[in-house]
Amino acid sequence: MRILFAPLPQVSHYFHLVPLGWACRAAGHEVRVAAQPALAEHITRSGLTGVPLSEVAADGDWLKVDMAALTALPPEQRLRKLREVRTRQFVAMADAAADDLVSFAKSWQPDLVVADPLNLAAPLVSETLGVPLVHHLWSPDVARHLGYPGLGLPVAEWPTELIELYQRFGLEIRPGYARHTIDPCPDSLQSAEVPDRIPMRYVPYNGNSPLPDWLRQPAGRPRVCVSWGYTHNPAGGGGSRLPEVVAALAAFDVEVVVAVAKLDSELLGDLPADVRVVAELPLQLLLPTCSAVVHHGGGGTMFTAAVYGVPQVVVIPDAIAAALLTGPLSDCRIGVCLESDASVDEIKSAVGSVLADSAQEGIQRLRKEILATPTPAAIVPRLEALVAQRS
């Protein structure tokens, strides 16, 4: 079986696809990952085979949204404006990738397409070749809640540019194209009802790196990780709270490790000399040694911490995400959820709470839930059956 993976050109989204890619390869199937050059190195380092597509204009700029201006709007206007801005960006990416993606697919003839739900070019392949399309989530299904094309949004609300793109390739325009949605988000954290859902255990993968010497020894005191991901850090166009978080942690006798993307390590400003800053260190290597993690609410960090039973303090960067994530996070009792404008004292109080083990019961319950979910290897036969139905 030949399986084409179609991620967004965003590293944190791609990482979620990797364990299923490994499982498909281990089962003897051929896998290709078609993506923009921004992901080429990450695909190679993950052990999968990349297929370069045309560069997206001003690669990376599509991530940048003035969240402060959006947050100032009333809730309904805020959601509508965010959807409009993001949809234009996703349509532009689909248009840039469409010809390359379909051309490669016609030559390689995949039997199945596994795609990020926001990769709007993926249906062009599945519909043109008549093969199944399966979506793969990367977090609680925020995109479905916001309402994007291909995720149940009525066609009457689609942008003209996307309809014209699909018509150019002869597609029948309909609200959705995916047969199933693979969901690594635990039931307890999922914020939306996902149709045709295939639950899959989250297997932590945040990149590859040798194990540093300092991680080979037990920490001499409690270790706290601070991570702000790839999207909401300064390079990604969002506001980072790293300096305030580090200031809050100064009140505790802990070892502080700030984990950042390589491009962001120079944007941190002056931090205390005893704070360890690591660039591109995979969280699956760091978090098992930590007593707590403070982060921005990204799915990769949230799920990785949950797998290893690490208490979390989540400073959600915008009111939109907060509205969708605060309830599930609080209900699971895996830590403390704060809004983006939380003060240093509020962050300090939250960290003190999780270090005192106040959330351990909920954390262990969620960890057991994750470990009881079918692994990526157990999902592969379902994909094989889906393809067999077409034969």
Side-chain angles (χ1 to χ4, degrees):
M1 185 165 70
R2 292 182 170 183
I3 306 171
L4 178 62
F5 282 72
L8 283 182
Q10 184 178 350
V11 175
S12 55
H13 283 225
Y14 170 65
F15 284 163
H16 289 266
L17 297 174
V18 172
L20 182 61
W22 289 339
C24 292
R25 288 290 295 121
H29 302 301
E30 294 184 63
V31 171
R32 298 290 183 269
V33 182
Q36 282 73 23
L39 288 186
E41 179 183 353
H42 297 283
I43 295 169
T44 300
R45 287 173 60 185
S46 73
L48 299 178
T49 301
V51 178
L53 301 178
S54 297
E55 187 80 70
V56 176
D59 194 24
D61 285 351
W62 65 276
L63 287 172
K64 297 181 180 179
V65 177
D66 187 345
M67 297 306 301
L70 279 175
T71 302
L73 295 173
E76 288 300 322
Q77 292 183 34
R78 183 190 311 147
L79 292 175
R80 185 168 59 252
K81 182 64 175 177
L82 178 67
R83 184 171 64 235
E84 290 173 358
V85 172
R86 289 295 200 210
T87 299
R88 286 200 302 272
Q89 295 166 335
F90 297 136
V91 172
M93 284 192 296
D95 187 62
D99 290 317
D100 272 1
L101 185 61
V102 173
S103 175
F104 169 73
K106 285 181 176 179
S107 65
W108 192 58
Q109 291 291 310
D111 301 294
L112 175 70
V113 179
V114 178
D116 190 300
L118 296 176
N119 186 337
L120 300 179
L124 299 177
V125 174
S126 63
E127 294 296 299
T128 299
L129 272 63
V131 301
L133 169 65
V134 173
H135 281 160
H136 192 304
L137 296 181
W138 69 94
S139 75
D141 200 359
V142 175
R144 184 174 299 279
H145 180 90
L146 290 176
Y148 285 102
L151 296 174
L153 183 70
V155 173
E157 298 180 35
W158 284 26
T160 302
E161 295 83 358
L162 182 60
I163 293 175
E164 291 176 348
L165 174 63
Y166 281 14
Q167 289 177 336
R168 178 160 69 88
F169 284 85
L171 268 64
E172 173 193 351
I173 309 300
R174 58 180 190 270
Y177 296 90
R179 298 279 296 277
H180 294 286
T181 297
I182 295 172
D183 187 5
C185 180
D187 291 356
S188 299
L189 290 179
Q190 187 51 268
S191 59
E193 184 176 343
V194 181
D196 301 308
R197 179 174 181 259
I198 300 177
M200 185 184 77
R201 183 189 305 180
Y202 178 76
V203 175
Y205 177 78
N206 314 107
N208 276 328
S209 148
L211 183 68
D213 287 343
W214 58 273
L215 277 179
R216 297 172 65 178
Q217 304 297 328
R221 52 188 175 146
R223 179 176 288 153
V224 178
C225 170
V226 182
S227 174
W228 235 250
Y230 285 83
T231 303
H232 297 287
N233 53 26
S240 173
R241 299 297 308 279
L242 287 172
E244 292 97 327
V245 171
V246 171
L249 292 174
F252 304 96
D253 182 21
V254 297
E255 176 188 344
V256 179
V257 181
V258 178
V260 295
K262 186 184 301 182
L263 292 176
D264 302 322
S265 57
E266 300 177 358
L267 303 175
L268 294 175
D270 294 329
L271 296 177
D274 61 347
V275 172
R276 188 190 297 271
V277 177
V278 293
E280 306 294 341
L281 177 66
L283 292 179
Q284 73 264 19
L285 301 183
L286 173 59
L287 286 185
T289 73
C290 292
S291 299
V293 57
V294 185
H295 65 97
H296 65 298
T301 310
M302 188 190 312
F303 299 163
T304 302
V307 166
Y308 294 117
V310 182
Q312 308 182 37
V313 173
V314 185
V315 185
I316 298 183
D318 63 80
I320 298 169
L324 299 173
L325 299 181
T326 299
L329 286 169
S330 299
D331 292 343
C332 282
R333 296 183 58 78
I334 62 173
V336 178
C337 189
L338 302 174
E339 294 189 5
S340 59
D341 59 353
S343 67
V344 170
D345 284 342
E346 289 173 320
I347 297 172
K348 185 190 306 181
S349 175
V351 172
S353 172
V354 300
L355 286 175
D357 293 336
S358 64
Q360 283 297 326
E361 181 181 349
I363 291 166
Q364 295 307 318
R365 184 168 56 248
L366 180 62
R367 184 171 186 271
K368 290 178 180 178
E369 177 186 330
I370 293 171
L371 296 179
T373 307
T375 65
I379 299 303
V380 175
R382 296 195 61 174
L383 302 181
E384 293 169 342
L386 182 62
V387 172
Q389 292 172 8
R390 170 176 165 261
S391 302

